[in-house]
Amino acid sequence: MTATDGDRRDGGRADDPNRRHWRFLLLVVLVGTIIVEPLLWFVIRVHMPPGRQTTAAQGDQFDATVLTMMASPVVIAVLAYFTYAMVVWRHPKGAPLVDGPPIRSNLKVQASWLFMTSAIVMGAFVFGTYELIVPAGAGGGEGPSPIWTPTSKTILPVQVIGQQWQWTYRYPTYGGFETTQLVLPDNTWIAFHVTSLDVIHSFWAYQLGVKADANPQVDDVAFTKTQQTGKVTVRCDELCGIWHGAMYNYGYVVSRSSFNSWALRTEKRQAPLTKLLPPFSWTYSPSANGAGGGYYPSSIPFPSSESYGKGASGPEGNLPGVKVSHKGLSGGQ
Amino acid sequence: MSKGARLAVVLVFVAVGMGMIVFGVMTYVRENPPTVDFTTGHRPGAPVHLTIQTVGTIGFGPHPSWVSYLVKAPDGKWVHTTLWKVPAHTTIDVTVLEYDGATPLRNQFYGEVQGVGNTYTVNGRHMSLIKATSTAAGVAHTFSVPHLGINIPLYAVPSSESAHECSSAPCHPASAHQTITFSFNSGGVHEDRWQCFIPCGAGWLDGNGGPMQTIGYMGGFLEVTA
Ligand SMILES: [Cu+2]
Ligand SMILES: [Cu+2]
């Protein structure tokens, strides 16, 4: 039996080398954490993806920062231990090779390991679940009857239609015109109604922090509030066939007044086409084999019985739940 | 023959067999239709004349029953490909000889002419929107380059003329057809996919399989080079 082995089992003595190792490592982790955490919160956070163009994006940024802050003490501990082991416990050159002490169970180490890992995992679980729910679904698709909805009574609905292989958008509060351009007003709650005319696509508006599946004959609703103007990248995030990789385009968040004039202009310009489109509806039912007669008729008429924003009087009369009007947007309320 | 020699012979045969399989698979995987080049000999500033045709059945090759595009190479020969190389910042004057009947659009949105100003004509007549909801008349295919904002509905041969329809490519103007013209600027150096937005892959899921997902038939690349 070696001297070290005896020391370890005695334990508790102040000059115990094991204690010394632990104390030093703990100090390194503590100091490292004290330095890194404020850095993450005050310096790194604002640069975290996907930015803060919407409330959902800012929520993503907050979540990513908090989770990084939770993980960083663990990373520091692992790196510190590796470095310490390599430097302090290095085998001296030329010294004879001696077997180390046998490893026995250590209740203190086991208990604290179990406690700490459980705490970290449970923390991530509780925090993640809360964050997913509370900011109106965190920008994710909530299905046709969203459980978590914004309290704002002015919500601009924008329909997102996926089809092999391009996104188009319909604006029901502007006569239901259809366009390939995604233009959104700043400082406004948006309700994305995502659907598909063929296979499953996924609407991923990166800088908006919004991602929602586009299923045929499903009205997948995702909410977010814009809070910065700028460019938006939209990608399809569900492998949908040969041109899936080309299924992206760019959108813009602009001031309310420029949005309003764009929308009115486009509504007017697209009027001849809009007349030929099926009446605006939350979903459309294409035939299974498009070649057999696949024009897409409405299946759920607009407006449907969605519950968000109820009680708000629609300025256009026929649009319950949607208070964002031409006037409301340009004049500000 | 000794044991070692027999083993060597077997190993050689196995290696040759494996090589042939790998070669066959790789040849198949790397197979691509040819690219038709409109850049060699192109005078800067001069427009490029691109003549293409769409046919209901290609009539030859591995999928004779599929719908397809063809392109007229600078030497005047029709080539079965959807890969075209054109010069940058150049006006491309396109003539489409459309020989196919109508398939209803899944989304009438693609019945609208987009991105080519008012250069779009059908048999010499200017148009901007085609109602595309029936098989009797309407749109046969579209030529669309989404990232250039271009969408060209190709007016179909009406069903009343189906007796004169062309059944095998390349088709000749003696068969019933529509002549569609439009012009666009090729833009800077880049590569763009183009595709048809009519679910014309009859018999496949959503009409979007087969020719709709095979390069050389209903989609390809526009290679814009300096
Ligand atoms: Cu897709
Ligand atoms: Cu087609």
Side-chain angles (χ1 to χ4, degrees), chain A residues 161 163-168 178-180 197-199 240-243 246-249 269-270 272-273 276-278 286-296, chain B residues 103-110 112 114 129-133 146-147 193-197 199-208 212-215 219-221:
Chain A
I161 303 173
Q163 55 218 295
Q164 288 167 317
W165 290 265
Q166 190 173 29
W167 297 107
T168 57
E178 187 167 348
T179 172
T180 53
L197 299 185
D198 39 51
V199 298
C240 60
I242 187 172
W243 299 121
M247 197 171 161
Y248 65 89
N249 70 344
R269 200 191 56 222
Q270 294 292 77
L273 170 67
L276 296 186
L277 291 177
S287 69
N289 179 353
Y295 186 53
Y296 69 114
Chain B
T103 299
L105 270 167
R106 173 158 298 126
N107 187 346
Q108 169 63 42
F109 179 76
Y110 296 103
E112 188 186 48
Q114 294 162 15
L129 182 62
I130 297 174
K131 194 173 175 196
T133 55
H147 293 155
R193 62 94 192 229
W194 64 267
Q195 68 162 97
C196 165
F197 271 100
C200 62
W204 276 273
L205 178 70
D206 297 320
N208 270 336
M212 285 296 284
Q213 303 216 34
T214 307
I215 288 180
F221 282 103

Side-chain angles (χ1 to χ4, degrees), chain B residues 54 67 69 100 140-142 195-201 212 217-218:
Chain B
T54 45
V67 294
Y69 270 88
D100 199 7
H141 302 279
T142 77
Q195 68 162 97
C196 165
F197 271 100
I198 296 251
C200 62
M212 285 296 284
Y217 292 85
M218 277 291 136

Side-chain angles (χ1 to χ4, degrees), chain A residues 11 35 50 58 64 86 99 131 143 161 182 227-228 231 254 283:
Chain A
I35 294 169
Q58 196 174 341
M86 281 194 292
D99 198 6
E131 282 297 294
I161 303 173
L182 177 65
Q227 50 184 19
Q228 268 177 13
K231 202 172 175 181
V254 298
T283 65

Side-chain angles (χ1 to χ4, degrees), chain B residues 78-155:
Chain B
W78 285 105
V79 184
H80 182 213
T81 185
T82 52
L83 306 177
W84 316 326
K85 197 160 140 185
V86 296
H89 304 295
T90 302
T91 303
I92 315 288
D93 291 325
V94 189
T95 304
V96 189
L97 303 168
E98 203 297 303
Y99 290 97
D100 199 7
T103 299
L105 270 167
R106 173 158 298 126
N107 187 346
Q108 169 63 42
F109 179 76
Y110 296 103
E112 188 186 48
V113 178
Q114 294 162 15
V116 295
N118 55 2
T119 63
Y120 178 87
T121 68
V122 178
N123 302 326
R125 228 179 82 222
H126 281 275
M127 286 179 90
S128 59
L129 182 62
I130 297 174
K131 194 173 175 196
T133 55
S134 77
T135 45
V139 176
H141 302 279
T142 77
F143 171 77
S144 311
V145 196
H147 293 155
L148 291 180
I150 294 171
N151 180 64
I152 305 294
L154 301 178
Y155 202 66

Side-chain angles (χ1 to χ4, degrees), chain A residues 165 201 236 238 240 244 247:
Chain A
W165 290 265
H201 303 271
C236 178
E238 189 72 53
C240 60
H244 163 70
M247 197 171 161

Side-chain angles (χ1 to χ4, degrees), chain A residues 305-329:
Chain A
S305 57
E306 85 289 340
S307 54
Y308 68 87
K310 231 177 197 161
S313 56
E316 302 199 349
N318 59 339
L319 303 171
V322 182
K323 207 182 169 187
V324 174
S325 69
H326 307 161
K327 258 194 220 118
L329 272 174

Side-chain angles (χ1 to χ4, degrees), chain A residues 16-332:
Chain A
D16 177 348
N18 281 327
R19 289 216 137 203
R20 234 176 42 228
H21 295 315
W22 278 117
R23 254 202 318 258
F24 181 76
L25 280 169
L26 216 67
L27 195 73
V28 169
V29 172
L30 211 72
V31 171
T33 305
I34 286 169
I35 294 169
V36 166
E37 300 287 26
L39 255 169
L40 281 169
W41 184 255
F42 293 108
V43 182
I44 309 288
R45 181 168 55 118
V46 290
H47 302 293
M48 281 279 203
R52 30 184 62 188
Q53 200 161 345
T54 63
T55 48
Q58 196 174 341
D60 287 358
Q61 194 176 63
F62 172 79
D63 299 344
T65 310
V66 170
L67 291 173
T68 310
M69 287 173 75
M70 279 166 82
S72 47
V74 179
V75 175
I76 293 168
V78 168
L79 291 179
Y81 190 85
F82 280 174
T83 315
Y84 193 81
M86 281 194 292
V87 174
V88 179
W89 293 322
R90 179 174 286 277
H91 183 255
K93 230 182 189 159
L97 271 176
V98 189
D99 198 6
I103 296 167
R104 295 200 174 79
S105 67
N106 183 320
L107 193 67
K108 239 196 268 177
V109 169
Q110 283 167 316
S112 41
W113 175 267
L114 279 178
F115 174 77
M116 273 159 61
T117 49
S118 305
I120 290 168
V121 170
M122 287 309 287
F125 165 67
V126 171
F127 174 77
T129 307
Y130 178 83
E131 282 297 294
L132 196 61
I133 294 167
V134 169
E142 294 186 60
S145 40
I147 305 170
W148 297 284
T149 59
T151 47
S152 170
K153 284 185 175 171
T154 52
I155 302 169
L156 176 75
V158 176
Q159 184 172 51
V160 180
I161 303 173
Q163 55 218 295
Q164 288 167 317
W165 290 265
Q166 190 173 29
W167 297 107
T168 57
Y169 309 94
R170 287 190 80 171
Y171 288 79
T173 46
Y174 290 85
F177 72 79
E178 187 167 348
T179 172
T180 53
Q181 292 173 287
L182 177 65
V183 181
L184 301 169
D186 192 14
N187 199 25
T188 307
W189 271 100
I190 315 284
F192 288 107
H193 289 260
V194 185
T195 190
S196 164
L197 299 185
D198 39 51
V199 298
I200 301 171
H201 303 271
S202 178
F203 172 69
W204 182 23
Y206 178 76
Q207 289 85 350
L208 302 184
V210 170
K211 180 144 63 172
D213 281 352
N215 289 278
Q217 301 188 60
V218 175
D219 172 33
D220 192 10
V221 185
F223 298 100
T224 196
K225 189 187 180 204
T226 53
Q227 50 184 19
Q228 268 177 13
T229 58
K231 202 172 175 181
V232 178
T233 313
V234 176
R235 286 184 183 284
C236 178
D237 201 43
E238 189 72 53
L239 185 56
C240 60
I242 187 172
W243 299 121
H244 163 70
M247 197 171 161
Y248 65 89
N249 70 344
Y250 301 97
Y252 295 91
V253 177
V254 298
S255 72
R256 283 187 163 208
S257 56
S258 4
F259 167 79
N260 193 47
S261 54
W262 169 83
L264 290 173
R265 216 168 48 235
T266 313
E267 179 180 0
K268 205 166 158 195
R269 200 191 56 222
Q270 294 292 77
L273 170 67
T274 309
K275 250 186 269 164
L276 296 186
L277 291 177
F280 186 89
S281 137
W282 293 127
T283 65
Y284 306 96
S285 47
S287 69
N289 179 353
Y295 186 53
Y296 69 114
S298 313
S299 70
I300 303 174
F302 173 79
S304 82
S305 57
E306 85 289 340
S307 54
Y308 68 87
K310 231 177 197 161
S313 56
E316 302 199 349
N318 59 339
L319 303 171
V322 182
K323 207 182 169 187
V324 174
S325 69
H326 307 161
K327 258 194 220 118
L329 272 174
S330 56

